[in-house]
Amino acid sequence: LSAPSGAGKTTLIKNLFSREGIPRGSIVYSVSHTTRPPRPGEIAGKDYHFIDRPTFERMIGEEAFLEWAQVHRNLYGTARSEVMSHLDRGVDVLLDIDVQGARQVRQHCPEALSIFVLPPSLGELERRLRGRNSDDGPEIARRMEVALSEIPEWERYDYVIINEDAERAGVELAAIVLGRRLRVERMRESARSLWSSLAGAHNP
Ligand code: 5GP
């Protein structure tokens, strides 16, 4: 999942995990590593793994990241260990990553599903960034500039959500996740065993 900062992605993600129809534990959030210092209220290990630059660079050298990128002067990356063990157990993993990271994931994991969240307008995006109060003026201007460079990337994604109304955007995100789970390639095993029990009952 990617979106320009301020598009409402964090709320959207939070709502997905508490939504009916998405069983608890069937999808987990991938906690990224970053060199960015924590914002007030952010919890280490829950929002991010906050690490220093030398540690991040060592992890790059060890190929510990599935993807990584520099965003807003800081480094961000998804550790392979954060993702692979869940996928092996059949649990979906949600990555909240920027457009550079999404390109890398699409390249290395063609089965990944990519979603871009757009704000309803640039004016609304700026209003949401200012409303946050966590960034100062120059930081908001920088984030707006980055947003303008990221938004054209929407065309490379599988799905686009326009986040005008949080509730509706939440329903749309859940629909994408559930729709993917019902595809034949994911349903094959359950459908086969159901079919063989039905066939067995019909021809005892
Ligand atoms: P923030 O500093 O506001 O939490 O995040 C800034 C940007 O970094 C967001 O667009 C977010 O999606 C992106 N980001 C967060 N974690 C990762 C990551 O692991 N990899 C990449 N490529 N981007 C990330």
Side-chain angles (χ1 to χ4, degrees):
L1 192 81
S2 302
S5 153
K9 189 176 44 175
T10 310
T11 310
L12 200 54
I13 291 173
K14 223 169 75 196
N15 291 348
L16 179 72
F17 289 99
S18 55
R19 191 162 278 279
E20 254 180 74
I22 307 280
R24 245 170 209 284
S26 65
I27 184 163
V28 295
Y29 179 72
S30 158
V31 180
S32 296
H33 286 70
T34 184
T35 60
R36 166 168 81 59
R39 294 199 185 108
E42 281 186 331
I43 299 168
K46 184 166 171 276
D47 296 294
Y48 281 106
H49 300 292
F50 297 100
I51 57 174
D52 58 19
R53 207 167 177 110
T55 308
F56 198 103
E57 283 165 356
R58 183 177 47 75
M59 288 178 73
I60 295 173
E62 290 168 352
E63 297 190 0
F65 291 118
L66 183 65
E67 62 74 36
W68 67 272
Q70 176 160 340
V71 191
H72 308 304
R73 298 190 188 156
N74 290 299
L75 300 177
Y76 294 83
T78 305
R80 289 179 196 282
S81 57
E82 198 71 47
V83 174
M84 296 312 179
S85 60
H86 297 298
L87 292 184
D88 289 346
R89 288 186 294 118
V91 171
D92 290 327
V93 184
L94 190 136
L95 275 59
D96 166 355
I97 59 177
D98 87 314
V99 295
Q100 308 168 69
R103 280 188 189 197
Q104 296 169 45
V105 173
R106 272 197 296 269
Q107 200 176 345
H108 301 303
C109 315
E111 69 283 14
L113 190 154
S114 61
I115 307 165
F116 197 87
V117 183
L118 280 170
S121 68
L122 282 184
E124 176 61 17
L125 182 68
E126 188 166 352
R127 200 185 62 76
R128 289 179 189 173
L129 282 177
R130 288 191 188 285
R132 260 189 199 176
N133 279 333
S134 58
D135 300 317
D136 57 14
E139 180 61 23
I140 289 171
R142 204 162 34 240
R143 281 173 186 262
M144 283 301 291
E145 205 175 298
V146 173
L148 284 174
S149 68
E150 286 176 338
I151 286 173
E153 285 280 319
W154 64 265
E155 278 199 274
R156 296 175 184 267
Y157 285 69
D158 298 312
Y159 292 91
V160 175
I161 294 175
I162 297 177
N163 188 7
E164 181 151 27
D165 172 78
E167 176 53 27
R168 192 169 129 208
V171 170
E172 290 173 351
L173 178 58
I176 294 168
V177 171
L178 292 174
R180 175 58 174 264
R181 287 183 183 173
L182 297 174
R183 285 191 61 88
V184 161
E185 63 269 19
R186 287 277 296 262
M187 290 300 288
R188 191 160 275 131
E189 224 170 280
S190 332
R192 265 205 190 123
S193 68
L194 177 66
W195 172 241
S196 58
S197 69
L198 286 176
H202 192 62
N203 297 313

